[in-house]
């Protein structure tokens, strides 16, 4: 692939050391040679790549508000179709519309907008980089935050073990819109992510990628270890790699002997309180949830 076509996000942005978001963006956008228009919802990616008066983007770029990434993509799709009817765009030339958003702008604040765009069948790829909390605004819990996690708004202490609610099942919500393709990926497995992005770009209509993005800052681990921790998320079945295509599910990575969830939890400061006496039942409940979700997925 032509190197110039893959360099759609330039160096010089201000993401944290050890952040995998740039790798997600470059891998996804590098999976197509088509012209792309990027929509970036308010969040870590947007604020670190567009420090006024500079921009790290080498493609057409629109910053949307937290709540309207899906609507913005729908508007772009509508504009492309209108221009084609007026013969103002070359016939047959595919233009890819790609939305990048964090979990806050996807699971929660932007869910209504995303749902509407999926239901109407607009032609776009939506990529959620999921770091499991509102990292851009200080580490508050989101609908993606796991049960038991310590966050700024679900602090662990004498009267709390962290977040008491289970993580929202976003993939089931997205698939319920009867879209053709949805996949769960992980920044620690870039070849798998690229394969899924390439497959998505070859389709039309709404497509969705949910990508795990460990956050060194608020998951609380050394900046050099995001790949190791990302791999542990998959090796423990906390974050399985799978895809949905035309009503069928496919597991992309599996092992007969998954590691215990504790191996993933103990790497992060957000879960350190769970290893104190009295919280054994919380870890047991988390392991049970992971096992049940895996069983549901493979069956």
């Amino acid at each position: 692939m032509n190197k110039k076509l893959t360099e759609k996000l330039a160096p010089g942005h201000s993401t944290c050391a050890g952040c995998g978001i740039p790798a997600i963006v470059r891998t996804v956008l590098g999976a197509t040679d088509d012209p792309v228009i990027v929509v970036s919802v308010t969040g870590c990616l947007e604020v670190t790549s567009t420090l006024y008066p500079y921009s790290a983007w080498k493609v057409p770029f629109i910053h949307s508000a937290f709540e309207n990434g899906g609507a913005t993509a729908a508007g772009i799709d509508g504009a492309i179709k209108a221009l084609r009817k007026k013969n103002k765009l070359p016939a047959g030339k595919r233009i890819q519309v790609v939305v990048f958003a964090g979990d806050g702008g996807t699971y929660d604040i932007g869910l209504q907008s995303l749902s509407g765009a999926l239901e109407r069948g607009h032609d776009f790829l939506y990529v959620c980089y999921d770091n499991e909390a509102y990292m851009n605004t200080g580490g508050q819990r989101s609908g993606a935050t796991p049960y038991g996690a310590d966050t700024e708004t679900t602090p662990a202490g004498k009267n709390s073990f962290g977040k008491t609610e289970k993580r929202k099942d976003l993939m089931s919500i997205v698939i319920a819109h009867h879209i053709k393709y949805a996949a769960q990926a992980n920044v620690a497995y870039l070849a798998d992510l690229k394969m899924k992005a390439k497959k998505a770009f070859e389709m039309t209509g709404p497509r969705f990628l949910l990508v795990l993005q460990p956050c060194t800052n608020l998951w609380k681990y050394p900046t050099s270890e995001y790949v190791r921790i990302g791999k542990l998320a998959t090796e423990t079945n906390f974050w399985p790699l799978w895809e949905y295509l035309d009503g069928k599910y496919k597991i992309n990575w599996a092992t007969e002997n998954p590691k215990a969830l504790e191996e993933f939890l103990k790497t992060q400061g957000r879960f350190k309180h769970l290893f104190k006496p009295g919280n054994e039942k919380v870890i047991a409940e988390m392991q049970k949830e992971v096992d049940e979700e895996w069983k549901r997925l493979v069956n």
Side-chain angles (χ1 to χ4, degrees):
M1 185 177 292
N2 188 319
K3 184 178 180 182
K4 290 183 179 179
L5 292 174
T6 66
E7 293 181 347
K8 296 165 185 172
L9 180 72
H13 50 74
S14 62
T15 54
C16 299
C19 178
I21 293 175
I24 294 172
V25 173
R26 291 196 179 101
T27 300
V28 170
L29 296 185
T32 181
D33 289 342
D34 294 331
V36 298
I37 299 173
V38 167
V39 177
S40 183
V41 174
T42 296
C44 291
L45 174 61
E46 181 271 319
V47 300
T48 59
S49 64
T50 58
L51 292 170
Y52 182 82
Y54 306 106
S55 172
W57 294 95
K58 292 188 175 183
V59 295
F61 172 90
I62 296 178
H63 166 213
S64 76
F66 243 135
E67 67 273 12
N68 65 349
T72 304
I76 297 170
D77 177 47
I80 291 171
K81 290 174 180 174
L83 290 171
R84 289 201 191 284
K85 287 183 179 180
K86 295 180 180 181
N87 296 316
K88 292 186 176 181
L89 283 176
K93 189 175 182 66
R94 183 82 187 273
I95 299 174
Q96 301 281 358
V97 181
V98 185
V99 180
F100 289 103
D103 51 283
T106 305
Y107 283 72
D108 301 333
I109 299 174
L111 184 59
Q112 178 179 336
S113 173
L114 171 61
S115 175
L118 295 176
E119 185 271 330
R120 292 189 300 272
H122 290 284
D123 188 19
F124 71 107
L125 171 60
Y126 192 107
V127 182
C128 174
Y129 56 93
D130 186 351
N131 49 31
E132 301 190 328
Y134 287 87
M135 303 309 187
N136 175 47
T137 54
Q140 301 89 346
R141 59 89 82 194
S142 78
T145 304
Y147 175 79
D150 175 33
T151 75
E152 292 300 310
T153 49
T154 59
K158 292 182 180 179
N159 299 312
S160 172
F161 58 81
K163 188 182 178 219
T164 58
E165 302 85 12
K166 294 183 179 180
R167 186 174 57 197
K168 188 182 296 184
D169 185 0
L170 180 64
M171 288 294 282
S172 292
I173 294 170
V174 168
I175 291 169
H177 290 77
H178 308 293
I179 68 174
K180 183 179 181 68
Y181 185 73
Q184 186 160 288
N186 183 332
V187 69
Y189 296 84
L190 290 181
D192 176 80
L193 173 59
K194 186 173 183 178
M195 176 273 292
K196 290 168 177 171
K198 188 175 186 298
K199 188 178 292 188
F201 281 128
E202 292 170 351
M203 302 175 192
T204 58
R207 294 139 285 152
F208 186 85
L209 296 179
L210 181 62
V211 189
L212 183 68
Q213 158 44 38
C215 177
T216 180
N217 189 25
L218 288 156
W219 287 23
K220 299 180 176 66
Y221 62 83
T223 58
S224 62
E225 295 193 1
Y226 87 84
V227 172
R228 183 177 77 88
I229 290 172
K231 286 186 174 181
L232 277 172
T234 295
E235 291 169 349
T236 59
N237 285 338
F238 175 84
W239 194 270
L241 304 183
W242 57 278
E243 54 189 336
Y244 167 92
L245 175 62
D246 287 333
K248 296 181 179 180
Y249 293 79
K250 179 181 179 181
I251 306 297
N252 304 113
W253 192 98
T255 175
E256 293 182 358
N257 299 298
K259 295 179 180 179
L261 182 62
E262 286 188 23
E263 295 299 305
F264 172 66
L265 300 180
K266 69 184 182 182
T267 63
Q268 303 153 60
R270 63 175 178 160
F271 294 122
K272 68 179 182 180
H273 59 285
L274 298 181
F275 294 90
K276 295 179 179 179
N279 285 328
E280 296 84 358
K281 62 181 181 181
V282 180
I283 295 179
E285 178 64 26
M286 296 172 77
Q287 182 70 67
K288 179 183 176 183
E289 180 185 1
V290 165
D291 293 343
E292 289 177 348
E293 285 299 310
W294 175 252
K295 185 177 181 180
R296 181 176 68 87
L297 184 62
V298 297
N299 291 333

